[in-house]
Amino acid sequence: MDSVPRGPEQRRPGSSTEPDSLRFGVLGPVRAWRDDEPVATGSPQQRALLAALLLREGRTATAAELIDALWGEGPPSQALAAVRTYASRLRKVLDPGVLVSESGGYAVRGLGEGALDLAAAQELAAEAEKARNTGDLCHARDVLGRALSLWDGETLAGVPGPYAEAQRVRLEEWRLQLLESRLDMDLEQGCHAEAVSELTALTAAHPLRERLRELLMLALYRSGRQAEALAVYADTRRLLADELGVDPRPDLQDLQQRILQADPGLAEPSAPMAEPVTVPVRPAQLPATVPDFTGRASFVRELSDVLASASGAEGRVMAVSALAGIGGVGKTTLAVHVAHGARSAFPDGQLYVNLQGAGARSAEPETVLGSFLRALGTADSAIPDSLEERAALYRSVLDGRKVLVLLDNARDAAQVRPLLPGTAGCAALVTSRVRMTGLAGAHLIDLDVMSPDEALSLFTKIVGEERVRSEREAALDVVAACGFLPLAIRIAASRLAARRTWTVSVLAAKLADERRRLDELQAGDLAVKATFELGYGQLEPAQARAFRLLGLADGPDISLAAAAAVLDLPTEDTEDLLESLVDTSLLESAAPGRYRFHDLVRLYARACAERDEQPPGERGAALSRLLDFYLATAAGVYAIERPGDRLIDHLEPTQYDGLRFSERQDALDWLYSEANSLLSSARQAFQGDRLRRGVDLLWAAKDLGESGANSRQYEWAAVAAKEAARAAGDRQAEGRARTALINVHLVAGRYDEAEEEASQAVRLAQAVGDFIPLYWASNDRGIIALIQGRNSDAEEHLLTAIDGSREDGNAPLEASALCNLSRVRLAMGNTTHAIRLAQEGIRIYDRLGLTIRLANARYALGLAYTSAGRTTEALAELTDALRMFQANRQRLWEGTTHFRIAQAYFAAQSPASTAQHAEQALAVGCIGGDRMRANVLTTLGESLDALGQLDRARACWREALSLYEQAGAAEAEGVRARLSPASAA
């Protein structure tokens, strides 16, 4: 069908609606417009409800009928509530009085004339029938074409439910009947040559529809292709016999006989329509390709293969390839390069147009078609006025020719569709900032930035090999600062090439300043900022606000829930906005439910926020909501992980709610998937009134500091928090930041630094009366003193921690201190008391259901059992602890537990199992940094020595000795003795 998809700016034929009236479409996706602006029609089920009401033409549908329409025989238990919700949402977006409640049901009333495309199509079809009956075929054909042009793809596309499916079938049958009538009139007016290609496609799509076969036979016969016409009949007879077991209908059999007899009555009409006067011309409109085209090899091959298949001898259906991507990513450059490489496959010419889709006024398809037709040799007098007629003539002119059409910088699929060739042998390349998902059958390509190697190669080609070779690292810094965006690289390289006195390092230094980077990336009429400005200028107000505010957030990406906090919108509305930004290529979909900016786009978004966001305080408010979201959610995760822990009661209050989890695993998944973004938000908060909340976020997310995977990022954030608090003179925040740093240093094995932070944290907490860091830091100081062999100090600190936690009602921390005291008693030789203390800690953790801390308690009990020589019990406790640490993703504790299991096996004289677990400890990593690694290597060496692998054992000891010596550890002497010649002997 030669239908032209209708955009919201087009008027329905025969419509008398005012510009600001409400209009609906069902002949395609279910849509609505007000004042030519789209109206959100909601979820698929909500659109199904709207469609059911529209198709009843004002009649009331009861709730039961609507439930049956949407779900059929298997409605959900809350179906009635869902119907009411959909109706309520629709009533909010439609004009007052349009969706009415009546007799327990609903109806759509008060629509203007032509407000529904189906009604407009029905009016036009009736007008066409009337004109045909009076003999006015020209008018009938034109009006019927206008009716058919109202279809925009599949009727009720994407609408679920049995009612929608039944209406789809009914309306598709009606469309085909209209199409058959129009084609019949085409043949009556002598347009048989143009009808052949359309009928060929239609019979392929509807092989059992005999009327289409009949029209195709007649069109072929009148085109002088009698043998093909008879072949169509033979194919039809065979197909009907195979599929249905019947013969062709009498009309088709009669037509076959008349063709065999060359019946003069089948000859074309005596007064056919005049064919447009055309003079074949071979256009060559492609812009010049760039001489320094670089990389993109896989895309070049992919696109070239598609174009080659379109122009090949097999004559496949016309191919469409659509490239989408952010402005400046090189879509046009790639498309032009590929098009030039494919010129020989399209000997009848190449057409090109810049559709200006990113600008304020994009090119009109009618204007472009006029230009194309002239380029193809059509006289001005033969070019019709309407879009539909120009598109039909354009396809007719291209029929039988091999032409490549490059449609550059398209606005959307609606702008592109009328410009596509309609026959095999032709192909179209489309570039756009929007993904062309609406182009049926198109080969879609999302073009990303260059790889680092490609980016450096392009920079080198422009600047020159000699200048880059001596400053390769600086050149890599330049292309990285450009975000590997081809336009930015070209601009930066062009600036450098034009300034012989500059070095690459000078340019790298200029681009290092993020606040100046976009200003630096301009040369002549090229500017990265101007490219982004075009896309930003196309956004609706709500989209533009989302773009600006989301750009303020640090972090590699952002989740949908976090974005909703930034925008202060419901998740559903936020998702709609973000997906619309993805469609414009200003935002990327990093993964389902996660979004990210290109680095340069983020800088531009922030510049827009500083320039456009009103009131200015909204920028700070957006970041405050994001911080609240992370703090509230992390506190909830902490509470699930540590029932009864009082830390969350001492955190700064939040104004914005976070997520709530019912399952512990879901909570952990959230914490670790959000780690980088959460820590970035914390660092961004270390200023003004957000400082204390940022520090408390580190407290609530302290598991990240022990995980191994995020320990380094956590440490950077904690150090930044301490420095910011000190600069602000906020002793409470500084004390809490130092408390967070204690554990960081403990994990890394930096015990002197840990002790310094702990003593300062206690001093600051006492000064401001901040109770919780006092006993938290005392617990950590006990661990530090234990590791350093200061057992009396360790005992004193841990007893202080136990008293403080009991006073605060913090049972989990009390249990932690008891388990740590167990290890102190063990070091002091009191194994029985050590076991009793660890068991007491386990009882507390069991009572609270604290899985992750229970792992620490079983770890402590396992150590006590090992020391007591109760190896079987020790291995049982340590194995349980290992399983718990693994389940809680505590990677460094997992490695440390492997080491303790290795020690237990060595005590049990099982060197093979010792070596196995020691190796796993080395692979995973341990709490305690290099010093703990040296301990593991020493034990591994002992097991290998027992297994008779002395050379490998000595290699382990040599590495352990080096680590002990670097740490100034007393254990170095024992390892040195193992490596002495006397020991070897």
Side-chain angles (χ1 to χ4, degrees):
M1 142 184 158
D2 284 336
S3 65
V4 179
R6 181 192 65 259
E9 73 283 355
Q10 290 180 272
R11 292 283 160 219
R12 310 294 200 283
S15 171
S16 62
T17 55
E18 296 299 319
D20 60 349
S21 62
L22 197 62
R23 297 182 290 115
F24 298 89
V26 294
L27 301 179
V30 175
R31 293 175 290 188
W33 297 272
R34 179 186 293 107
D35 193 19
D36 290 342
E37 295 296 325
V39 174
T41 52
S43 66
Q45 271 80 16
Q46 190 167 307
R47 294 197 301 274
L49 176 70
L50 177 60
L53 296 175
L54 288 170
L55 291 174
R56 286 178 177 268
E57 301 178 340
R59 298 189 306 276
T60 300
T62 66
E65 290 172 331
L66 291 173
I67 290 172
D68 185 66
L70 269 63
W71 293 287
E73 296 179 357
S77 59
Q78 300 297 316
L80 180 57
V83 166
R84 290 171 176 166
T85 298
Y86 299 151
S88 175
R89 290 176 179 172
L90 285 170
R91 191 178 284 117
K92 290 178 182 178
V93 298
L94 302 180
D95 291 345
V98 170
L99 199 159
V100 298
S101 301
E102 189 176 74
S103 303
Y106 301 92
V108 170
R109 303 270 173 80
L111 299 184
E113 182 181 353
L116 180 64
D117 57 2
L118 175 58
Q122 290 169 336
E123 293 173 9
L124 290 169
E127 181 182 346
E129 183 66 22
K130 182 178 179 181
R132 186 175 188 180
N133 291 336
T134 60
D136 190 355
L137 290 183
C138 288
H139 181 63
R141 184 169 172 263
D142 176 66
V143 172
L144 204 53
R146 288 158 57 196
L148 287 165
S149 72
L150 294 176
W151 267 268
D152 185 8
E154 182 186 42
T155 301
L156 304 175
V159 175
Y163 180 82
E165 183 57 33
Q167 293 300 312
R168 248 191 304 273
V169 173
R170 178 180 71 84
L171 292 173
E172 175 61 11
E173 173 61 25
W174 183 53
R175 183 187 72 84
L176 288 173
Q177 291 174 3
L178 296 181
L179 192 54
E180 288 168 347
S181 296
R182 199 217 72 205
L183 287 164
D184 191 22
M185 286 187 280
D186 287 351
L187 298 185
E188 287 186 53
Q189 292 197 301
C191 300
H192 39 266
E194 296 90 339
V196 167
S197 61
E198 185 176 2
L199 281 164
T200 299
L202 285 168
T203 53
H206 307 280
L208 297 176
R209 200 167 184 91
E210 294 182 65
R211 177 57 177 156
L212 289 175
R213 298 270 183 163
E214 183 180 350
L215 291 170
L216 177 57
M217 289 172 63
L218 184 57
L220 287 168
Y221 179 78
R222 288 183 176 175
S223 299
R225 299 156 70 176
Q226 179 180 0
E228 289 182 60
L230 293 172
V232 169
Y233 178 82
D235 289 340
T236 305
R237 184 176 60 184
R238 183 170 54 253
L239 181 67
L240 291 172
D242 292 344
E243 296 289 331
L244 305 176
V246 299
D247 291 325
R249 66 181 188 174
D251 288 349
L252 203 58
Q253 297 180 35
D254 180 62
L255 178 60
Q256 184 232 14
Q257 291 299 316
R258 295 177 67 190
I259 291 173
L260 286 170
Q261 298 164 9
D263 185 346
L266 294 180
E268 62 184 86
S270 57
M273 288 182 62
E275 294 286 340
V277 178
T278 61
V279 179
V281 175
R282 183 184 178 276
Q285 297 182 342
L286 294 178
T289 188
V290 294
D292 49 24
F293 182 85
T294 303
R296 310 294 200 189
S298 62
F299 290 122
V300 172
R301 283 195 302 272
E302 184 177 347
L303 288 168
S304 299
D305 289 346
V306 173
L307 297 183
S309 66
S311 63
E314 69 274 13
R316 57 161 280 178
V317 176
M318 178 271 302
V320 179
S321 290
L323 289 77
I326 188 177
V329 81
K331 303 180 294 293
T332 298
T333 301
L334 173 60
V336 169
H337 179 80
V338 170
H340 274 283
R343 286 183 64 187
S344 61
F346 299 94
D348 295 318
Q350 304 86 41
L351 296 169
Y352 171 86
V353 65
N354 179 358
L355 293 173
Q356 303 173 14
R361 293 183 60 83
S362 55
E364 294 293 337
E366 296 96 321
T367 305
V368 175
L369 284 170
S371 175
F372 279 179
L373 286 168
R374 293 184 191 94
L376 292 165
T378 305
D380 281 352
S381 60
I383 298 176
D385 293 331
S386 73
L387 172 63
E388 294 86 349
E389 290 174 322
R390 288 188 178 190
L393 178 58
Y394 168 66
R395 291 189 291 270
S396 298
V397 171
L398 290 179
D399 186 28
R401 304 171 75 173
K402 291 188 174 184
V403 174
L404 174 62
V405 183
L406 176 47
L407 305 173
D408 192 20
N409 193 15
R411 180 190 65 225
D412 52 28
Q415 185 189 30
V416 167
R417 287 193 194 99
L419 308 179
L420 297 178
T423 56
C426 292
L429 276 175
V430 184
T431 74
S432 177
R433 299 188 184 201
V434 178
R435 294 190 83 241
M436 291 289 168
T437 53
L439 287 183
H443 180 79
L444 302 180
I445 290 180
D446 292 324
L447 196 58
D448 204 349
V449 296
M450 287 180 149
S451 68
D453 287 343
E454 289 177 332
L456 184 61
S457 177
L458 175 60
F459 183 78
T460 303
K461 284 184 178 181
I462 299 172
V463 173
E465 178 71 32
E466 184 177 348
R467 297 178 75 181
V468 175
R469 187 187 308 117
S470 59
E471 294 187 277
R472 178 179 171 82
E473 290 303 318
L476 287 171
D477 289 341
V478 169
V479 297
C482 292
F484 309 109
L485 189 70
L487 175 62
I489 295 167
R490 183 173 295 280
I491 290 171
S494 298
R495 290 191 70 197
L496 184 60
R499 293 162 174 80
R500 304 303 301 175
T501 59
W502 282 16
T503 62
V504 181
S505 299
V506 168
L507 178 61
K510 288 180 174 292
L511 295 177
D513 183 357
E514 287 191 350
R515 296 187 66 84
R516 291 277 308 157
R517 188 176 297 168
L518 288 176
D519 294 328
E520 294 289 346
L521 290 173
Q522 53 185 348
D525 62 348
L526 295 178
V528 171
K529 185 186 291 186
T531 298
F532 295 159
E533 191 75 43
L534 288 173
Y536 177 66
Q538 295 284 309
L539 299 180
E540 298 295 329
Q543 293 174 314
R545 174 181 179 269
F547 175 73
R548 294 191 300 266
L549 294 183
L550 290 175
L552 296 172
D554 283 344
D557 60 7
I558 190 167
S559 68
L560 177 59
V566 172
L567 302 181
D568 198 17
L569 291 173
T571 302
E572 184 178 282
D573 295 344
T574 301
E575 184 174 22
D576 290 343
L577 282 174
L578 268 58
E579 287 297 329
S580 70
L581 289 175
V582 170
D583 289 340
T584 66
S585 297
L586 286 172
L587 191 66
E588 300 173 15
S589 179
R594 302 198 70 85
Y595 302 87
R596 67 184 174 212
F597 282 104
H598 181 274
D599 291 345
L600 294 179
V601 178
R602 184 197 300 275
L603 293 179
Y604 175 72
R606 290 182 175 179
C608 290
E610 292 179 6
R611 180 189 69 193
D612 301 337
E613 195 60 43
Q614 297 297 330
E618 176 59 11
R619 301 199 299 272
L623 291 176
S624 182
R625 289 191 296 270
L626 178 63
L627 179 61
D628 276 0
F629 166 78
Y630 280 131
L631 178 53
T633 309
V637 174
Y638 190 96
I640 289 176
E641 278 290 278
R642 298 170 173 81
D645 197 314
R646 290 293 310 284
L647 179 139
I648 59 174
D649 298 324
H650 296 277
L651 300 178
E652 289 290 306
T654 57
Q655 301 299 316
Y656 194 94
D657 292 337
L659 299 176
R660 293 289 180 266
F661 301 102
S662 57
E663 296 294 330
R664 181 175 160 279
Q665 192 61 43
D666 293 338
L668 279 178
D669 287 344
W670 179 88
L671 180 65
Y672 288 103
S673 65
E674 288 286 347
N676 290 326
S677 298
L678 180 151
L679 293 173
S680 295
S681 179
R683 293 191 64 173
Q684 199 171 8
F686 299 151
Q687 52 186 322
D689 62 353
R690 302 200 305 273
L691 170 60
R692 290 189 176 186
R693 281 180 289 157
V695 173
D696 282 0
L697 178 55
L698 295 180
W699 266 25
K702 68 189 300 288
D703 283 349
L704 298 178
E706 299 180 5
S707 68
N710 308 103
S711 299
R712 182 63 59 85
Q713 296 93 323
Y714 186 92
E715 178 178 355
W716 292 340
V719 171
K722 181 181 75 172
E723 297 303 324
R726 180 189 293 164
D730 189 331
R731 290 186 292 177
Q732 175 180 311
E734 182 183 348
R736 293 191 173 196
R738 287 182 180 275
T739 305
L741 273 171
I742 301 170
N743 203 48
V744 168
H745 292 309
L746 275 172
V747 169
R750 299 189 293 264
Y751 305 119
D752 291 339
E753 291 91 333
E755 173 60 25
E756 172 63 21
E757 295 294 355
S759 62
Q760 292 294 335
V762 168
R763 178 184 62 80
L764 290 164
Q766 289 173 335
V768 298
D770 192 15
F771 181 65
I772 194 167
L774 291 175
Y775 64 83
W776 271 75
S778 295
N779 189 39
D780 288 336
R781 294 185 80 180
I783 298 171
I784 297 165
L786 169 65
I787 293 170
Q788 293 181 331
R790 298 184 285 111
N791 294 334
S792 295
D793 291 343
E795 185 177 37
E796 179 183 347
H797 291 313
L798 291 168
L799 289 172
T800 300
I802 291 170
D803 290 341
S805 58
R806 285 173 177 169
E807 183 179 347
D808 193 30
N810 197 333
L813 194 68
E814 177 192 350
S816 174
L818 287 169
C819 292
N820 290 329
L821 185 59
S822 165
R823 295 178 60 189
V824 174
R825 294 280 194 261
L826 191 63
M828 298 172 77
N830 193 341
T831 304
T832 302
H833 194 204
I835 292 173
R836 189 165 62 251
L837 286 169
Q839 290 173 334
E840 186 178 350
I842 287 174
R843 282 194 294 272
I844 294 174
Y845 284 137
D846 272 335
R847 185 180 77 244
L848 296 172
L850 261 168
T851 306
I852 184 170
R853 293 305 117 188
L854 182 59
N856 291 104
R858 294 200 178 280
Y859 172 88
L861 183 57
L863 296 185
Y865 280 147
T866 301
S867 180
R870 296 161 63 174
T871 308
T872 301
E873 293 166 284
L875 287 172
E877 296 295 337
L878 290 170
T879 301
D880 278 349
L882 176 63
R883 176 180 50 78
M884 294 175 188
F885 284 131
Q886 288 171 333
N888 287 279
R889 308 180 202 182
Q890 293 295 300
R891 183 167 154 269
L892 296 180
W893 274 111
E894 177 187 341
T896 305
T897 308
H898 273 299
F899 168 54
R900 298 305 186 185
I901 292 174
Q903 287 183 313
Y905 273 121
F906 193 73
Q909 299 183 349
S910 179
S913 295
T914 301
Q916 176 187 356
H917 283 279
E919 288 286 6
Q920 287 181 282
L922 291 175
V924 174
C926 297
I927 298 284
D930 287 344
R931 186 166 177 174
M932 181 61 86
R933 181 177 176 84
N935 293 341
V936 178
L937 286 165
T938 301
T939 300
L940 177 59
E942 291 172 341
S943 65
L944 293 172
D945 186 19
L947 291 169
Q949 301 179 34
L950 181 58
D951 288 344
R952 188 178 166 202
R954 292 175 67 82
C956 291
W957 290 333
R958 281 193 292 271
E959 184 180 348
L961 178 60
S962 174
L963 294 172
Y964 281 140
E965 288 176 339
Q966 291 175 27
E971 291 93 336
E973 190 59 38
V975 177
R976 195 177 292 113
R978 293 179 183 278
L979 289 168
S980 67
S983 175

